Amino acid sequence: MYELGVVYRNIRRADSDLALKLGAFGSATVHEALGRVGLFKPYLRPIYPGAQVSGSAVTVLLQPGDNWMLHVAAEEIRDGDIVVAAVTADCTDGYFGDLLATSFKARGARAFVIDAGVRDVKTVTGMRFPVWSRAISCKGTVKATLGSVNIPVVCAGAYVTPGDVIVADDDGLVCVPRAMAAATLEAAGKRAANESEKRAKLASGVLGLDMYKMREPLAAAGLRYIE
Amino acid sequence: MYELGVVYRNIRRADSDLALKLGAFGSATVHEALGRVGLFKPYLRPIYPGAQVSGSAVTVLLQPGDNWMLHVAAEEIRDGDIVVAAVTADCTDGYFGDLLATSFKARGARAFVIDAGVRDVKTVTGMRFPVWSRAISCKGTVKATLGSVNIPVVCAGAYVTPGDVIVADDDGLVCVPRAMAAATLEAAGKRAANESEKRAKLASGVLGLDMYKMREPLAAAGLRYIE
Amino acid sequence: MYELGVVYRNIRRADSDLALKLGAFGSATVHEALGRVGLFKPYLRPIYPGAQVSGSAVTVLLQPGDNWMLHVAAEEIRDGDIVVAAVTADCTDGYFGDLLATSFKARGARAFVIDAGVRDVKTVTGMRFPVWSRAISCKGTVKATLGSVNIPVVCAGAYVTPGDVIVADDDGLVCVPRAMAAATLEAAGKRAANESEKRAKLASGVLGLDMYKMREPLAAAGLRYIE
Amino acid sequence: MYELGVVYRNIRRADSDLALKLGAFGSATVHEALGRVGLFKPYLRPIYPGAQVSGSAVTVLLQPGDNWMLHVAAEEIRDGDIVVAAVTADCTDGYFGDLLATSFKARGARAFVIDAGVRDVKTVTGMRFPVWSRAISCKGTVKATLGSVNIPVVCAGAYVTPGDVIVADDDGLVCVPRAMAAATLEAAGKRAANESEKRAKLASGVLGLDMYKMREPLAAAGLRYIE
Amino acid sequence: MYELGVVYRNIRRADSDLALKLGAFGSATVHEALGRVGLFKPYLRPIYPGAQVSGSAVTVLLQPGDNWMLHVAAEEIRDGDIVVAAVTADCTDGYFGDLLATSFKARGARAFVIDAGVRDVKTVTGMRFPVWSRAISCKGTVKATLGSVNIPVVCAGAYVTPGDVIVADDDGLVCVPRAMAAATLEAAGKRAANESEKRAKLASGVLGLDMYKMREPLAAAGLRYIE
Amino acid sequence: MYELGVVYRNIRRADSDLALKLGAFGSATVHEALGRVGLFKPYLRPIYPGAQVSGSAVTVLLQPGDNWMLHVAAEEIRDGDIVVAAVTADCTDGYFGDLLATSFKARGARAFVIDAGVRDVKTVTGMRFPVWSRAISCKGTVKATLGSVNIPVVCAGAYVTPGDVIVADDDGLVCVPRAMAAATLEAAGKRAANESEKRAKLASGVLGLDMYKMREPLAAAGLRYIE
């Protein structure tokens, strides 16, 4: 449930080093490491391919067609933050363009995530400021109604508390609760450990069936081969 | 309401210079300048990023799965036109490919917009002929039923009269009525005037809160900061 | 109707040469040549632009959120195959990533097609391994329930029998039944024969109305020109 | 293109008798009679089954999440009108509930059509006041921003001019331009003339193939029967 | 892959008694009994609640916006059939109305299923002729292009061979291959056997946890209760 | 963020009397009274019209295609609860049918809400057990993977903590945080106080323009009447 018209200034951020290291594993590995939860719905897409970032969430709750609170949020950004914006109703308007991108970047933001639309994508792409959104729209917004900054929000189906770690790349986004960042990083490390070895084996033609020892459980499950 | 089976040959086009200058501002600025109307729904997307064009609309009404009238429309194209095609029912078929793109380009068209699908997108992208569509599909169309050329149409929710100015880029599309092109251009110019100055301020870390003098209205609206 | 828990090992593949030659025409021409059937729904999109491939289908039926059978399918791949995966329910999870891509490629697969989601798209794009999917999602899958390999499947609305020819490019995908590959190739050749000549004419400003002799049938259909 | 902040008071309504008679034919017959145009997209659905109405359109343009102009529109309603509301952006909020239904009914409105959401559907259903909408939502709206009344609007893909005839029933909605109401009524009458005779024949087991004399054109088109 | 322009007249129908008995179990039980396959996507919905039917499939392949082949199909209907119609492209037009319903019913059809739209739903509901469709639309169709009757089709994601058993009710639809009808009926009978006993136990407050003996496997899977 | 494999047994429920009284106001009034937050997305729809209920939330987190935790949840139900189920991925399978409805009802549940599909809707409707869901599907689920009971969940975009008050009717659903139930009830009472008086005025033909004194603010906003 949302509290409207408030800005929480002193949020506890995730450890900056943990946040960075989680990002290096990418969203897919982190999602597994976290126990397959914390997913943003896959309709959020990056405005350009190739970005891979992570950081502490500064959250924003917006009203439909109104981006006033993004300006309020700018002041709350610290180095390494990712701004995560939810809207109280489905909306595809372009809440965020090159001026806000310039401001967010200057304040130290690493990325912007919004469950709505953005615009000026050519310019923002040229700035290499990473953005994930549900739509791209030239339709702008007004500045008339209060929302909130740094309250827990639901963004694209993910529940995000300020200070949680956001991991984002071409595959999508995951929210890692601050308290679980260290354990998740360890689990991610274990998952990734033998990946290059596995990749080499598979590249040489070894089958996953043998490498993962799947033949027995498949047979036990009743798989029949018909020659 | 649509009149079927007719081609209006002598449409009044927007002033060519006005149309070009509107395009330079981009769809987002023009949409604001026009009073936040004239929007095409954001499900129309460019087939490749980076194109930014504007021109006078030549309109086409098509039947589902039938692109006959695009060939009729080709003859009506003048230098600097943008062909805008609507369909009488929802359809994702590929109405337009490299041959029509070649023909439209040869006739002087600057771009093609369709509330349906297109194909040959690799070749058309290679030609750098800009296209906005709701789908990409290899499924072609037949040539069997009449529609119309240069009647008013509803395309992706926008009402377009022949000769209106279409402004299109990565952010989407806007239709500026011919009679409002001059006033819109003036308003767009005013909006864009101080943008580079603002961008420089924001890049230096100045907050929009201060630059736009938002602190007072936010407080008046009841915003509370919680330290 | 699907048979579960079986792997057919000895499928009859389309002639390799026919399959390759069909691919050179692209999905749009092949779809026409085949009589405008065999279409995959256009919500399947490539993970990167520019790929154009063809090959014999190895089919897979998957359970929701479970990619076990992709590992089983890997063993059935022969040089020049395209793996086509259907799921028994709508699902956007990321069934396929860089390890499976490495394995499929090593086994000789030319591409992967799935009516669900994939992940590791940045790495797979870097490998230039072509993939068509309905979604991109960092959410992985489990390996717990049997599906089948090389049974007929419905993938994105297309009915695919193992050994059919799949033709895929930026415009979408078409399935050519093995028995119709030769006839379709011939028809495609005829369709494509005069394309470059036509393109040259259109590029010189000749109208399709004249080149295709459409003026008479348009008049017969009742088209009226209003000067 | 929309003009904002205006109310046109003296619109020309369709002839009341023509409007009523068109409604008796139902949307399907009227759509055919009109030449298969004027369709509202089928995502508009009635809030309860069985209503069949027609009347002159009073149009309203609304802002997202704002129903202020519906109160303005109430004053413009005359006996036999149908209020048709468009919104400048996609929105599912509940713009209309039992109080507005009470007011509209008291002013003589026959129905309400909106390309957005409505609420209080149980009460409004109990009042037997017919409503077609794209959504049902308990989320209400504010009264803050101007739209317009009685300007031409695009509602669910249909272009509606004030005074046009709206025909609505369980099958959907059609807009008949005022100037075409008489001709459409005549065409509808002809279409419907032999329907009961046809129905009786079909009910007795006569095939449409024979009744409509389709066997010859089917054979000419190449239909093959395989015993 | 679809064969166009053919009508297969001598299809092998499922045993009439088997088909009827399968219907009595309903779609949910039959879907389980069949091994959880054969599902039509749940976007197909009945035009009125409460119908529960089953019968042998007569299949039809239609062209977009063209219902010609439904008239051809009418002649192929035998007592107890259910007509199942697919379209070669996504389409919401109203292919089927009260005249076809009258004809189909007179020929002995038990129901109509279409992966597109229907109309005259008030009248067809009044006739109590059951119809499942993806849309309701007053937009009619033409009769111009050949499809086929009684070839295998993909309808709403289900692969249907003529003569298969269709089971349909408020929960959706399942296709049971003719050859599996007897085995499925037996399996359905076993599933349904103890349902009323189970229902009585649950109604008396017995928990499924105990009735199904789930406590042990839940504990084994690691479920923790926190008082 | 979700904790998996746990059941919280001692949740604090909303005051039973408060919960009941909130329900009497209906979702639209409660949504306003709460400050226009707490909304479930309107794609959740009741399986039959006319139900209006409220109660304390027992929450369930489910895995895709797996309803095991609904059986675990049954034991946690107390008189007057409403079970609210979220799924970790988008899914339309039928998680809930007549047996679970019988069990939930016997345990005292007032309703069931799920961001996925349900089945046996005819039987459950006959029982008059209210259900809101995003889909109806005969496809059942397995019982294989743990989720959780009585953890906070995101259901159809609403953040629900166990013990919150759910208000549900034909217009949709709202979640009132337990701590705000009393204040919301008071605000709802005030909103509803003069409704019948207002309705009577409007029914007599008084305009909302006058009753709400809107003429002045409309003029101040610039509304122009054109005679």
Side-chain angles (χ1 to χ4, degrees):
Chain A
M1 235 294 307
Y2 297 125
E3 191 184 1
L4 289 174
V6 296
V7 182
Y8 285 89
R9 309 210 65 167
N10 294 312
I11 62 172
R12 288 192 58 188
R13 284 171 168 81
D15 178 87
S16 158
D17 190 52
L18 281 179
L20 265 183
K21 283 180 177 159
L22 277 166
F25 286 110
S27 62
T29 297
V30 169
H31 181 253
E32 300 284 358
L34 185 58
R36 302 166 59 78
V37 294
L39 186 77
F40 290 67
K41 285 188 195 289
Y43 62 70
L44 289 194
R45 297 302 303 144
I47 60 167
Y48 61 88
Q52 179 164 345
V53 298
S54 55
S56 280
V58 163
T59 65
V60 191
L61 183 67
L62 299 162
Q63 302 288 350
D66 189 311
N67 76 349
W68 212 10
M69 299 312 285
L70 291 183
H71 293 277
V72 175
E75 189 173 25
E76 309 309 316
I77 295 170
R78 300 287 167 268
D79 247 351
D81 284 348
I82 292 181
V83 180
V84 177
V87 186
T88 59
D90 283 352
C91 185
T92 60
D93 291 352
Y95 280 75
F96 177 93
D98 70 328
L99 290 180
L100 274 167
T102 300
S103 177
F104 278 27
K105 199 175 179 182
R107 305 291 298 180
R110 288 218 188 101
F112 177 61
V113 181
I114 185 166
D115 193 1
V118 296
R119 56 185 192 168
D120 297 335
V121 293
K122 192 172 170 177
T123 309
V124 178
T125 297
M127 296 166 58
R128 306 314 278 178
F129 184 77
V131 174
W132 283 257
S133 73
R134 80 182 301 171
I136 293 169
S137 172
C138 60
K139 179 167 198 282
T141 50
V142 299
K143 296 170 212 323
T145 313
L146 294 187
S148 289
V149 173
N150 282 332
I151 61 168
V153 296
V154 174
C155 177
Y159 184 70
V160 181
T161 298
D164 287 349
V165 179
I166 306 300
V167 176
D169 57 22
D170 288 352
D171 292 339
L173 305 101
V174 179
C175 176
V176 181
R178 192 173 46 80
M180 300 180 66
T184 304
L185 181 62
E186 198 186 323
K190 282 184 189 152
R191 284 194 69 85
N194 310 309
E195 286 250 320
S196 58
E197 192 186 333
K198 281 183 200 163
R199 195 174 291 109
K201 275 194 188 170
L202 293 169
S204 76
V206 173
L207 286 164
L209 287 178
D210 297 312
M211 192 174 80
Y212 298 117
K213 300 190 195 314
M214 286 173 173
R215 292 193 191 273
E216 228 176 293
L218 282 165
L223 188 67
R224 291 172 298 128
Y225 283 87
I226 297 169
E227 301 287 337
Chain B
M1 235 294 307
Y2 297 125
E3 191 185 0
L4 290 174
V6 296
V7 182
Y8 285 89
R9 308 209 67 169
N10 293 313
I11 62 172
R12 288 191 59 187
R13 284 170 169 80
D15 177 88
S16 159
D17 189 52
L18 281 179
L20 265 184
K21 283 180 177 159
L22 277 166
F25 286 109
S27 62
T29 296
V30 169
H31 182 253
E32 299 285 358
L34 186 58
R36 303 166 57 77
V37 295
L39 186 77
F40 290 68
K41 285 188 193 289
Y43 62 70
L44 288 195
R45 297 302 304 145
I47 62 167
Y48 61 88
Q52 179 165 345
V53 297
S54 55
S56 279
V58 163
T59 65
V60 191
L61 182 69
L62 298 162
Q63 302 288 351
D66 189 311
N67 77 347
W68 212 9
M69 300 311 284
L70 291 183
H71 293 277
V72 176
E75 189 172 25
E76 308 309 316
I77 296 170
R78 299 288 167 268
D79 247 350
D81 284 348
I82 292 182
V83 180
V84 177
V87 186
T88 59
D90 283 352
C91 185
T92 61
D93 292 353
Y95 281 75
F96 177 92
D98 69 328
L99 290 180
L100 273 167
T102 301
S103 177
F104 278 26
K105 200 176 178 180
R107 304 293 296 183
R110 289 219 187 101
F112 178 60
V113 181
I114 185 166
D115 193 0
V118 297
R119 57 184 192 169
D120 298 334
V121 292
K122 193 173 170 175
T123 308
V124 177
T125 297
M127 295 166 59
R128 307 314 279 178
F129 184 78
V131 174
W132 283 257
S133 73
R134 79 183 300 169
I136 293 169
S137 171
C138 59
K139 179 167 198 283
T141 50
V142 298
K143 296 170 211 326
T145 312
L146 293 188
S148 290
V149 173
N150 282 332
I151 61 167
V153 296
V154 174
C155 176
Y159 184 70
V160 181
T161 298
D164 288 350
V165 179
I166 306 300
V167 176
D169 57 23
D170 288 353
D171 291 339
L173 305 102
V174 179
C175 175
V176 181
R178 191 171 48 79
M180 301 179 66
T184 304
L185 181 63
E186 197 185 323
K190 282 184 189 152
R191 285 193 68 85
N194 310 309
E195 285 250 321
S196 57
E197 191 187 334
K198 282 183 199 163
R199 194 174 292 109
K201 276 195 188 170
L202 294 169
S204 75
V206 173
L207 286 164
L209 288 178
D210 298 311
M211 192 173 80
Y212 299 117
K213 301 190 195 312
M214 288 174 173
R215 293 193 191 272
E216 226 176 296
L218 282 164
L223 189 67
R224 291 172 298 127
Y225 283 86
I226 296 168
E227 300 289 336
Chain C
M1 236 293 308
Y2 295 126
E3 190 184 1
L4 289 174
V6 296
V7 183
Y8 285 89
R9 309 210 66 168
N10 293 313
I11 61 172
R12 288 192 58 187
R13 284 172 169 80
D15 178 86
S16 158
D17 190 52
L18 281 179
L20 265 184
K21 283 180 178 159
L22 277 166
F25 286 109
S27 62
T29 297
V30 169
H31 182 252
E32 300 285 358
L34 187 57
R36 304 168 56 80
V37 294
L39 187 77
F40 290 67
K41 285 188 194 289
Y43 63 70
L44 289 193
R45 296 302 302 144
I47 61 168
Y48 61 87
Q52 179 165 345
V53 298
S54 54
S56 279
V58 163
T59 64
V60 191
L61 182 68
L62 299 162
Q63 302 287 351
D66 189 311
N67 76 348
W68 212 10
M69 300 311 285
L70 291 184
H71 294 276
V72 175
E75 190 172 26
E76 309 309 316
I77 295 169
R78 300 288 168 268
D79 247 353
D81 284 348
I82 292 181
V83 180
V84 177
V87 186
T88 59
D90 282 351
C91 185
T92 60
D93 292 352
Y95 280 76
F96 177 92
D98 68 329
L99 290 180
L100 273 168
T102 301
S103 177
F104 278 27
K105 199 177 179 180
R107 305 292 298 180
R110 286 216 190 105
F112 177 60
V113 181
I114 185 166
D115 193 1
V118 297
R119 56 185 192 169
D120 298 334
V121 293
K122 192 172 169 176
T123 308
V124 177
T125 296
M127 295 167 58
R128 305 316 278 180
F129 184 77
V131 174
W132 283 257
S133 72
R134 81 182 300 169
I136 292 169
S137 172
C138 59
K139 180 166 197 284
T141 49
V142 298
K143 297 171 211 320
T145 312
L146 293 188
S148 290
V149 173
N150 281 332
I151 61 167
V153 296
V154 174
C155 176
Y159 185 69
V160 182
T161 298
D164 287 350
V165 179
I166 305 300
V167 176
D169 58 23
D170 288 352
D171 291 339
L173 305 102
V174 178
C175 175
V176 181
R178 191 173 47 78
M180 302 180 65
T184 304
L185 181 62
E186 198 185 321
K190 282 184 189 151
R191 285 194 69 84
N194 309 309
E195 287 250 320
S196 57
E197 192 186 333
K198 281 183 199 162
R199 194 175 294 110
K201 276 194 188 169
L202 294 168
S204 75
V206 172
L207 286 164
L209 287 178
D210 297 312
M211 192 174 79
Y212 299 117
K213 300 189 195 315
M214 287 173 174
R215 292 193 190 273
E216 226 175 297
L218 283 164
L223 189 67
R224 291 172 298 128
Y225 283 87
I226 297 169
E227 299 290 336
Chain D
M1 236 293 308
Y2 296 125
E3 191 184 1
L4 290 173
V6 296
V7 182
Y8 285 89
R9 308 209 67 166
N10 293 312
I11 62 172
R12 288 191 58 186
R13 286 172 168 80
D15 177 87
S16 160
D17 189 52
L18 280 179
L20 265 184
K21 284 180 177 159
L22 276 167
F25 286 109
S27 62
T29 296
V30 169
H31 182 253
E32 300 284 359
L34 187 57
R36 303 166 57 78
V37 295
L39 186 77
F40 289 67
K41 285 189 194 288
Y43 62 70
L44 289 194
R45 297 302 304 144
I47 61 167
Y48 61 88
Q52 179 165 345
V53 298
S54 55
S56 278
V58 163
T59 64
V60 191
L61 182 68
L62 299 162
Q63 302 289 350
D66 188 313
N67 76 348
W68 213 10
M69 300 311 285
L70 292 183
H71 293 277
V72 176
E75 190 173 25
E76 309 310 316
I77 295 170
R78 299 288 168 268
D79 247 351
D81 283 347
I82 292 182
V83 180
V84 176
V87 186
T88 60
D90 283 351
C91 185
T92 61
D93 292 353
Y95 281 75
F96 177 92
D98 68 329
L99 290 180
L100 273 168
T102 300
S103 176
F104 278 26
K105 200 176 178 181
R107 305 292 297 182
R110 288 218 188 102
F112 178 59
V113 180
I114 185 167
D115 193 1
V118 297
R119 57 185 192 169
D120 299 334
V121 293
K122 193 172 169 176
T123 308
V124 178
T125 296
M127 294 166 60
R128 306 314 278 178
F129 184 78
V131 174
W132 283 257
S133 72
R134 78 182 302 170
I136 292 168
S137 172
C138 59
K139 179 167 198 283
T141 49
V142 298
K143 296 171 210 324
T145 313
L146 294 187
S148 289
V149 173
N150 282 332
I151 61 167
V153 296
V154 174
C155 177
Y159 185 70
V160 181
T161 298
D164 287 349
V165 179
I166 305 301
V167 175
D169 57 23
D170 288 352
D171 291 339
L173 305 101
V174 178
C175 175
V176 181
R178 191 171 48 78
M180 301 179 66
T184 304
L185 181 63
E186 197 187 322
K190 282 185 189 151
R191 284 194 68 84
N194 311 308
E195 286 251 320
S196 57
E197 191 187 334
K198 281 184 200 164
R199 195 174 293 108
K201 275 194 189 170
L202 293 169
S204 75
V206 173
L207 286 164
L209 287 179
D210 297 313
M211 192 173 79
Y212 298 117
K213 300 189 197 313
M214 287 174 174
R215 293 194 191 272
E216 225 176 297
L218 283 165
L223 189 67
R224 291 172 298 129
Y225 283 87
I226 297 169
E227 299 289 336
Chain E
M1 236 296 306
Y2 297 125
E3 191 184 0
L4 289 174
V6 296
V7 182
Y8 285 89
R9 308 210 67 168
N10 293 313
I11 62 172
R12 288 193 57 189
R13 283 171 170 79
D15 177 88
S16 159
D17 190 52
L18 282 179
L20 265 184
K21 283 180 176 158
L22 276 166
F25 286 109
S27 62
T29 296
V30 169
H31 182 252
E32 300 284 358
L34 186 58
R36 302 167 58 77
V37 295
L39 186 77
F40 290 67
K41 285 188 194 289
Y43 63 71
L44 289 194
R45 298 301 303 144
I47 60 167
Y48 61 87
Q52 180 164 344
V53 298
S54 55
S56 280
V58 163
T59 65
V60 190
L61 183 67
L62 299 163
Q63 302 289 351
D66 189 312
N67 76 348
W68 212 10
M69 299 311 285
L70 292 182
H71 293 277
V72 176
E75 189 173 24
E76 309 309 315
I77 295 170
R78 301 286 168 269
D79 247 351
D81 284 347
I82 292 182
V83 180
V84 177
V87 185
T88 60
D90 283 352
C91 186
T92 60
D93 292 352
Y95 281 75
F96 177 92
D98 69 329
L99 290 180
L100 273 168
T102 301
S103 177
F104 277 26
K105 199 174 179 182
R107 305 292 298 180
R110 287 218 190 102
F112 178 61
V113 180
I114 185 166
D115 193 1
V118 296
R119 57 184 191 170
D120 298 334
V121 293
K122 191 172 171 177
T123 309
V124 177
T125 296
M127 296 166 58
R128 306 314 278 176
F129 184 77
V131 173
W132 282 257
S133 72
R134 80 182 301 169
I136 293 169
S137 172
C138 60
K139 179 167 198 282
T141 50
V142 299
K143 298 171 211 321
T145 313
L146 294 187
S148 289
V149 173
N150 282 332
I151 61 167
V153 296
V154 174
C155 177
Y159 185 70
V160 181
T161 297
D164 287 350
V165 179
I166 305 301
V167 176
D169 57 23
D170 287 353
D171 291 340
L173 305 102
V174 179
C175 175
V176 181
R178 191 172 46 79
M180 300 181 65
T184 304
L185 181 63
E186 198 186 322
K190 282 185 189 152
R191 284 194 68 86
N194 309 308
E195 286 250 320
S196 58
E197 192 186 334
K198 281 183 199 164
R199 194 174 292 109
K201 275 194 189 171
L202 293 169
S204 75
V206 173
L207 286 164
L209 287 179
D210 297 312
M211 192 174 80
Y212 299 117
K213 299 189 195 314
M214 286 174 175
R215 292 193 191 273
E216 229 176 295
L218 282 165
L223 188 67
R224 292 172 298 129
Y225 283 86
I226 296 169
E227 300 288 336
Chain F
M1 236 296 306
Y2 295 126
E3 191 185 0
L4 289 174
V6 297
V7 182
Y8 285 89
R9 308 210 67 168
N10 293 313
I11 62 172
R12 289 192 58 188
R13 283 172 169 79
D15 178 87
S16 159
D17 190 51
L18 281 179
L20 265 184
K21 283 179 177 160
L22 277 166
F25 286 109
S27 62
T29 297
V30 169
H31 182 253
E32 299 284 358
L34 186 58
R36 303 168 55 80
V37 295
L39 186 77
F40 290 67
K41 285 188 195 288
Y43 63 71
L44 289 194
R45 297 302 304 143
I47 61 167
Y48 62 87
Q52 179 164 346
V53 298
S54 55
S56 279
V58 163
T59 64
V60 191
L61 183 67
L62 298 162
Q63 302 288 350
D66 189 312
N67 76 348
W68 212 9
M69 300 311 286
L70 291 183
H71 294 276
V72 175
E75 190 173 25
E76 309 309 317
I77 295 169
R78 300 287 168 269
D79 247 351
D81 284 348
I82 292 182
V83 180
V84 176
V87 186
T88 60
D90 282 351
C91 186
T92 60
D93 291 353
Y95 279 76
F96 177 92
D98 68 330
L99 290 180
L100 273 168
T102 301
S103 176
F104 278 27
K105 200 176 179 181
R107 305 292 297 181
R110 287 218 189 102
F112 178 60
V113 180
I114 186 167
D115 193 1
V118 297
R119 56 185 192 169
D120 298 335
V121 293
K122 193 173 170 176
T123 309
V124 177
T125 297
M127 295 167 57
R128 305 315 278 179
F129 184 77
V131 174
W132 283 257
S133 72
R134 80 182 301 168
I136 292 169
S137 172
C138 59
K139 179 166 198 284
T141 50
V142 299
K143 298 171 210 323
T145 312
L146 294 187
S148 289
V149 173
N150 281 332
I151 62 167
V153 296
V154 174
C155 176
Y159 184 70
V160 182
T161 298
D164 287 350
V165 179
I166 305 300
V167 176
D169 58 22
D170 288 352
D171 290 340
L173 305 101
V174 179
C175 174
V176 181
R178 190 172 47 80
M180 300 180 66
T184 305
L185 181 62
E186 197 186 322
K190 283 183 190 152
R191 285 192 68 84
N194 310 308
E195 287 251 319
S196 57
E197 192 186 333
K198 282 182 198 164
R199 194 175 293 108
K201 276 193 188 171
L202 294 168
S204 75
V206 172
L207 286 164
L209 287 177
D210 297 312
M211 191 174 79
Y212 299 118
K213 299 189 197 313
M214 287 173 175
R215 292 193 190 272
E216 226 176 296
L218 282 164
L223 189 67
R224 291 173 297 129
Y225 284 86
I226 296 169
E227 299 289 336

